Amino acid sequence: ALLAVRGQSDSLKMIGSALISGENSRVFEGCPVARSLARSVLLALLGRYANGDAVCLQVVSKLASEFGPGRCGDGDEADEDLSLAVASVVNTSFGGRVDDLSDQLSKDTVAPLIVLASLVKPWDQIEADRVVRVACVMDLYYSAEALCDAAVESSSRGVGGNGASVARLATRALVDTSLEYRCYRRADSFAAKYYDHCGAERYAASRFLHAQDTIAKVVRQRALQIVDKQVLRVDEAVDKVTADLAGSNAKWNSNELRVLNEDDCVDLGDMSGSIRQYTLRKLRGSGQDDFAVRLSKIWKMEYHVNPQQLAREMEQRKITYLQWDDPGCPGYTEGDCQSLPAPELISEPPDLTNKFRELIGGTDSLGFDCEFGEGLAGIALLQLSTVKESLLVDVPALIKTAEGCESLERTVGKLFSGSTHVKHVLGFGCKDDIRRLRTYSWFPEEHRLRFKDIRTLIVECDPDIGGKRGMHLGLSRSCEIYLGKKLDKNEQCSDWLARPLTIEQREYAALDAW
């Protein structure tokens, strides 16, 4: 069959696809004769392609993937003949100006050639960074990433004399080209993945530009709950790079960011302040002064606004979104009395025991919700609520002591295991909440869990709401349908590990569970 692949160009794709399916290729694992024959077929096909014959490169790359040639035996020594053959085809195909190649080559040619280069690793004969740029220009970022993975693997294993240099050049080309084409999300992802190879400067700059790009989009879309999170991600990147540079006695080198124009190139020490100033400018431009004022207070920055304009915006938000002190909500009081304050966080075991007992007394239904923290496997806050009262449970503080864990098990644990008189524990789209809660030893095992998802109940009552199985139905929209107002989600992605929480965070958290 391998000989048929080598000789029958007209039937090559059909024969090759049948031959090298996953099930068939496993038969040849550890078979030197099959590997040797596959190698000879690859060399023959690559030679024919180099001579201008019609050869399906997709089948060639698949053949190489399944039979795994490229190294001699099981060692790290390169297969020189195969490396030269692959390098010859790659260099010939990718010759000329990078920007012109998209008109000369097709993705069906470029992608399999990059697969071959990633498998055979002919680093001494090809310009890996050039190959990466060609892939990015043709929007083959997955292929470019695969080549970088191969270069990094070679570097870690010490394969080839210039493996570390190739990994450095390839990963930097991937990040730089992503930045050049303003694919900031990709650049951020790649710079984080290849941090040790592409450098601290690209990592911090990509994170900063990704945050700017995201903030501009979410402000236009009025999805302001994401803004805080983006600023926090920039702060974390700055802290990491600052610590790493100090630990290695290195300095920030802005020359590494030549791909960026002058406006986009921000020094490391200015990034945290610049991203905040950028955010406030965008909020002002979109008329979101009320949110800008709140952020400026948290960040301790000046923000001047027309008082009348701010008052109008605040009044409009009260009309559009549920408020803590709206009639029927937990903070509402009759007459001209001042509204009830948002609940404080419970961080002491005796307080949790007593307040939990008061909360569940006289009710058979309880709502719950969780807030998460960046990089935290568990939760940053647990909210429990009846229709009249809410509790905010500071789980990170309580789990620091054995007494705190015991109080959580006696209260929250029993609630979710059905060991109290409460019949209905209700969440909304709570799959991730439950997954995170299950990371704690005091939370009941899966077979003892007792809870209901309100989104599922809504869909059962009205299948036309929220698309298929309610997958597009959110809590804010549900509140608008059943309570007449949306739930303001501005605080959703704020820093829930911060202590103390702001009044706005506590009101949002309590309303979420309510």
Side-chain angles (χ1 to χ4, degrees):
L2 282 165
L3 292 172
V5 171
R6 183 175 63 181
Q8 301 295 321
S9 59
D10 294 339
S11 315
L12 178 59
K13 192 168 185 177
M14 179 182 67
I15 298 174
S17 298
L19 166 70
I20 58 183
S21 66
E23 183 178 348
N24 287 336
S25 65
R26 283 193 293 271
V27 176
F28 299 105
E29 287 182 2
C31 177
V33 174
R35 288 172 61 87
S36 176
L37 186 54
R39 174 182 177 277
S40 70
V41 171
L42 278 174
L43 287 169
L45 292 175
L46 289 169
R48 287 172 55 184
Y49 182 82
N51 291 329
D53 291 350
V55 174
C56 180
L57 288 176
Q58 291 173 322
V59 173
V60 176
S61 66
K62 183 68 174 174
L63 186 65
S65 300
E66 295 294 349
F67 285 89
R71 323 307 299 175
C72 291
D74 295 326
D76 289 331
E77 184 182 351
D79 185 330
E80 192 68 25
D81 291 339
L82 197 53
S83 294
L84 289 172
V86 171
S88 175
V89 172
V90 169
N91 291 333
T92 301
S93 300
F94 292 175
R97 291 181 66 251
V98 170
D99 291 339
D100 294 336
L101 291 177
S102 59
D103 297 328
Q104 303 168 10
L105 299 173
S106 69
K107 291 184 178 181
D108 289 341
T109 298
V110 173
L113 284 178
I114 294 177
V115 171
L116 285 169
S118 302
L119 291 167
V120 179
K121 304 177 178 62
W123 307 134
D124 293 334
Q125 291 89 25
I126 66 170
E127 297 178 59
D129 53 330
R130 179 183 177 80
V131 175
V132 167
R133 289 192 181 92
V134 172
C136 292
V137 168
M138 301 190 68
D139 200 28
L140 291 169
Y141 284 93
Y142 179 82
S143 297
E145 185 179 7
L147 188 74
C148 288
D149 287 342
V152 168
E153 181 193 10
S154 295
S155 173
S156 64
R157 294 172 56 198
V159 177
N162 63 342
S165 175
V166 171
R168 185 166 56 252
L169 291 171
T171 55
R172 291 181 178 187
L174 179 59
V175 175
D176 287 351
T177 310
S178 299
L179 289 172
E180 186 178 354
Y181 283 87
R182 299 187 180 277
C183 298
Y184 297 129
R185 182 184 61 79
R186 282 196 173 107
D188 187 4
S189 176
F190 293 144
K193 179 178 180 179
Y194 302 119
Y195 179 82
D196 292 336
H197 299 277
C198 68
E201 290 83 2
R202 285 172 176 80
Y203 169 71
S206 298
R207 178 63 52 86
F208 178 81
L209 292 171
H210 180 204
Q212 274 195 342
D213 187 53
T214 302
I215 289 169
K217 291 175 181 176
V218 300
V219 166
R220 287 197 300 269
Q221 298 165 359
R222 299 185 181 273
L224 302 180
Q225 67 270 22
I226 303 175
V227 170
D228 282 354
K229 185 174 182 180
Q230 291 300 318
V231 173
L232 180 61
R233 292 182 78 242
V234 171
D235 289 345
E236 290 172 347
V238 170
D239 290 344
K240 174 179 172 58
V241 170
T242 301
D244 289 349
L245 291 177
S248 59
N249 293 321
K251 293 183 178 180
W252 175 264
N253 184 7
S254 58
N255 290 330
E256 290 289 338
L257 303 174
R258 290 187 296 271
V259 68
L260 300 178
N261 62 50
E262 188 174 344
D263 293 336
D264 291 337
C265 197
V266 180
D267 285 337
L268 181 68
D270 298 331
M271 283 186 178
S272 289
S274 293
I275 196 64
R276 285 165 169 78
Q277 293 169 0
Y278 177 86
T279 300
L280 295 179
R281 288 198 305 272
K282 288 295 180 182
L283 290 169
R284 183 188 295 278
S286 66
Q288 301 286 329
D289 287 318
D290 56 333
F291 191 61
V293 167
R294 185 186 73 79
L295 288 179
S296 65
K297 290 179 180 178
I298 295 173
W299 296 337
K300 298 179 181 179
M301 298 174 68
E302 290 187 359
Y303 185 83
H304 302 289
V305 65
N306 184 307
Q308 290 78 21
Q309 174 66 23
L310 180 60
R312 287 194 295 270
E313 291 177 9
M314 295 294 290
E315 190 60 33
Q316 183 59 46
R317 295 196 73 81
K318 289 181 180 180
I319 295 172
T320 305
Y321 297 106
L322 275 175
Q323 303 297 307
W324 171 250
D325 55 357
D326 275 350
C329 293
Y332 177 74
T333 55
E334 296 283 352
D336 297 328
C337 298
Q338 187 175 2
S339 61
L340 297 175
E344 297 289 344
L345 269 63
I346 300 173
S347 55
E348 296 294 333
D351 292 340
L352 176 60
T353 301
N354 295 332
K355 291 185 179 294
F356 180 80
R357 186 185 304 115
E358 295 173 5
L359 181 72
I360 66 173
T363 185
D364 65 352
S365 300
L366 211 64
F368 84 95
D369 188 51
C370 299
E371 305 301 338
F372 311 144
E374 188 76 17
L376 189 67
I379 62 172
L381 187 70
L382 171 66
Q383 306 100 276
L384 302 172
S385 184
T386 65
V387 293
K388 296 181 179 180
E389 185 181 3
S390 301
L391 296 186
L392 304 182
V393 184
D394 190 350
V395 172
L398 287 164
I399 62 173
K400 291 180 180 179
T401 65
E403 185 183 2
C405 291
E406 290 174 2
S407 68
L408 285 165
E409 185 174 5
R410 290 195 305 267
T411 55
V412 179
K414 285 188 175 182
L415 174 69
F416 279 90
S417 65
S419 301
T420 68
H421 68 272
V422 176
K423 296 180 180 178
H424 309 294
V425 181
L426 305 167
F428 191 99
C430 49
K431 183 177 180 180
D432 199 27
D433 295 1
I434 294 297
R435 180 184 64 79
R436 289 172 176 265
L437 285 168
R438 289 180 61 199
T439 63
Y440 299 112
S441 59
W442 46 264
F443 196 72
E445 297 177 3
E446 186 173 8
H447 68 278
R448 296 174 56 209
L449 273 178
R450 302 290 185 273
F451 72 95
K452 294 181 180 179
D453 193 325
I454 293 179
R455 179 158 60 187
T456 302
L457 300 177
I458 291 175
V459 174
E460 289 176 357
C461 295
D462 192 343
D464 295 329
I465 292 181
K468 187 177 181 180
R469 293 190 297 275
M471 61 189 304
H472 302 303
L473 179 65
L475 182 56
S476 181
R477 172 62 177 149
S478 299
C479 288
E480 184 180 25
I481 294 172
Y482 294 102
L483 303 178
K485 286 185 179 182
K486 297 178 181 179
L487 183 65
D488 192 343
K489 306 293 284 187
N490 276 351
E491 299 292 338
Q492 184 179 40
C493 292
S494 58
D495 184 4
W496 290 103
L497 289 173
R499 297 293 184 270
L501 296 179
T502 65
I503 293 175
E504 291 84 1
Q505 284 179 303
R506 289 187 284 119
E507 289 182 351
Y508 166 82
L511 275 176
D512 230 6
W514 175 81

